[in-house]
Amino acid sequence: MTQGSLRDAGRYEPDSPYAWLRLAVALVIGTVACVGSWSVVVVLPAMQGEFDTLRSGASLPYTCAMLGFGAGNIVMGRIADRYGIMVPIVMGALLLAAGYAAAGLSQSLWQFALAHGLLIGFGTGAGFSPLISDLSHWFRKHRGLAVVCGASGSYLAGVVWPQVITWGLAHHGWRATHFGIAIVALVVMLPLAPFFRRQPAAATLAHADSHSAGARSDLGLSANQLQGLLCVAGFACCVAMAMPQVHIVAYCGDLGYGVARGAEMLSLMMLLGIVSRIGSGFVADRIGGTATLLLGSLMQGVALFLYLWFDGLSSLYIVSGLFGLFQGGIVPMYAVVIREYLPARQAGVRIGLVMSVTVLGMAAGGYLSGVIYDYFSSYRMAFLNGLAWNLINISIVSWLMLRTRTKPEQAVQVAAR
């Protein structure tokens, strides 16, 4: 190997300055692409009036978007494993643009819902688990931090987009707002896609595979057994997570505070969720992904419990902030656990599968909360339902912790090598 080749190899090794630059660009892509997770939440009250439907019916486009997002995470992750992350980014930009244009032209609730399920949700999938999987290959020592920072694009989207969309609804209407989102997806994502042409070295992937096999052996579970448990845990935690995230805007409207206050709470929730995600990355790099996941799940349960007792305007701002601060790091921890214990060469599809199940949990939780509200005319039972699902998640993750036969610091060392 020539001296120039050695310098080139060093420039693109894990934890290099190039890796951090890749993380920064991925964060921009994720922030734009993940608009599909939040736009329908903000327009939910408007859609209920536009299409003259119940709250559960108005929640249907969100459910469709989450189903499409779940499928997109798996398919886009598989494509990223085989062809690199650039291809899913280009596909995501085109799907988002087409989906938001179709949504802006829709004349019925079903047309609006199908645009979100078949196009917007699927395109949004390119901005989450494929990006997380790609970033996990470019970091060893700081893998936990890199993964949660990359995953924060979805929360940055939750900070920025609700305010932008609320302004668009007030000044230009919901149809023009959807066309504007389509244009932004194209002009931001397509020019940045070529930056991701470089793929991780084969030696890097082989090295990671050998160490994940050793860590999995210490855990005492096969790859598929662990995958299945993580899927069940992810579904349960996100059914619980969906209640405040999906219905906080409508909840504030019902209490007489107005949807604008609810949108502000959602943005606050997402902003503090970013803080939580970054903090969980530092914690995971020290105590391991499984322990960090359990800690986040316990804290999410505390926040859900507080919603049962406080519904004043100021207290809702505080509880929503706490909810974001407590639960923000949960979902990325599944990716960290997968990279600690499952094959690196299958990271895209395996992370995509777990993330898609968490999205299914969000979809089910969002719709189920709407159904419970329609039946009881109150969100109290919906919050209790979320607490029950959160307990299932805690039980599974606690059981995994008990099966771990290595010390947490040893597991982190394995993942960092």
Side-chain angles (χ1 to χ4, degrees):
M1 183 178 291
T2 65
Q3 185 175 1
S5 298
L6 289 172
R7 283 198 303 268
D8 188 65
R11 178 184 177 188
Y12 297 110
E13 65 183 8
D15 298 290
S16 65
Y18 168 79
W20 290 103
L21 178 60
R22 194 176 179 102
L23 170 58
V25 179
L27 193 57
V28 175
I29 294 287
T31 301
V32 174
C34 287
V35 60
S37 298
W38 305 109
S39 63
V40 70
V41 176
V42 181
V43 302
L44 189 152
M47 291 303 99
Q48 186 173 0
E50 175 77 16
F51 299 118
D52 191 24
T53 183
L54 296 174
R55 185 64 50 81
S56 56
S59 301
L60 183 62
Y62 175 82
T63 300
C64 291
M66 292 299 98
L67 291 173
F69 183 42
N73 273 285
I74 298 174
V75 175
M76 296 291 192
R78 183 70 183 97
I79 293 172
D81 281 342
R82 187 166 184 178
Y83 301 108
I85 187 62
M86 190 182 85
V87 177
I89 291 174
V90 172
M91 293 175 61
L94 297 175
L95 287 168
L96 284 167
Y100 276 103
L105 294 170
S106 61
Q107 299 299 316
S108 70
L109 179 63
W110 280 106
Q111 290 176 356
F112 190 79
L114 287 174
H116 279 77
L118 299 178
L119 297 171
I120 294 174
F122 209 93
T124 300
F128 196 57
S129 37
L131 281 177
I132 294 173
S133 171
D134 176 77
L135 289 170
S136 73
H137 297 311
W138 292 93
F139 292 87
R140 289 179 186 166
K141 183 179 179 181
H142 302 291
R143 179 177 294 151
L145 179 60
V147 164
V148 298
C149 285
S152 294
S154 66
Y155 272 22
L156 275 175
V159 173
V160 175
W161 283 110
Q163 301 306 313
V164 172
I165 294 169
T166 299
W167 178 87
L169 292 174
H171 292 85
H172 301 287
W174 67 272
R175 295 186 186 275
T177 300
H178 281 74
F179 286 121
I181 297 172
I183 294 172
V184 171
L186 287 176
V187 301
V188 175
M189 294 177 66
L190 287 182
L192 291 178
F195 178 81
F196 294 90
R197 285 177 297 182
R198 181 171 294 275
Q199 299 186 43
T204 300
L205 297 178
H207 193 266
D209 277 341
S210 65
H211 286 288
S212 65
R216 189 166 61 254
S217 176
D218 290 331
L219 185 62
L221 295 172
S222 70
N224 289 336
Q225 286 173 333
L226 179 57
Q227 180 91 49
L229 285 171
L230 291 176
C231 285
V232 175
F235 181 86
C237 80
C238 286
V239 171
M241 192 181 298
M243 173 54 232
Q245 288 190 5
V246 177
H247 288 272
I248 189 65
V249 175
Y251 185 38
C252 286
D254 291 343
L255 292 173
Y257 303 133
V259 296
R261 301 288 80 77
E264 290 173 358
M265 291 179 197
L266 180 61
S267 292
L268 176 65
M269 194 185 295
M270 297 303 101
L271 179 62
L272 292 177
I274 296 171
V275 176
S276 174
R277 287 196 166 179
I278 295 174
S280 69
F282 283 107
V283 174
D285 285 334
R286 286 159 177 78
I287 68 173
T290 308
T292 308
L293 177 59
L294 178 59
L295 180 62
S297 185
L298 288 168
M299 295 173 72
Q300 175 174 266
V302 171
L304 286 170
F305 181 76
L306 292 176
Y307 272 114
L308 292 170
W309 301 100
F310 300 97
D311 61 3
L313 182 59
S314 297
S315 60
L316 277 176
Y317 273 106
I318 295 172
V319 175
S320 295
L322 288 174
F323 182 81
L325 193 61
F326 289 168
Q327 59 80 39
I330 293 177
V331 172
M333 281 306 106
Y334 293 104
V336 175
V337 173
I338 287 171
R339 284 308 319 275
E340 288 177 354
Y341 294 105
L342 298 177
R345 295 179 187 275
Q346 302 170 9
V349 68
R350 286 191 179 275
I351 292 175
L353 180 59
V354 174
M355 294 302 163
S356 71
V357 173
T358 66
V359 171
L360 287 175
M362 291 292 293
Y367 183 73
L368 185 58
S369 295
V371 171
I372 292 173
Y373 173 87
D374 287 339
Y375 187 81
F376 291 99
S377 298
S378 169
Y379 277 121
R380 184 173 182 83
M381 290 303 298
F383 282 118
L384 288 171
N385 174 69
L387 278 169
W389 283 97
N390 197 73
L391 182 60
I392 295 174
N393 173 264
I394 291 173
S395 300
I396 293 172
V397 180
S398 298
W399 185 78
L400 286 175
M401 286 288 295
L402 291 175
R403 287 190 64 89
T404 303
R405 293 196 290 264
T406 57
K407 296 180 180 179
E409 58 267 23
Q410 291 176 320
V412 175
Q413 291 169 3
V414 168
R417 290 193 187 111

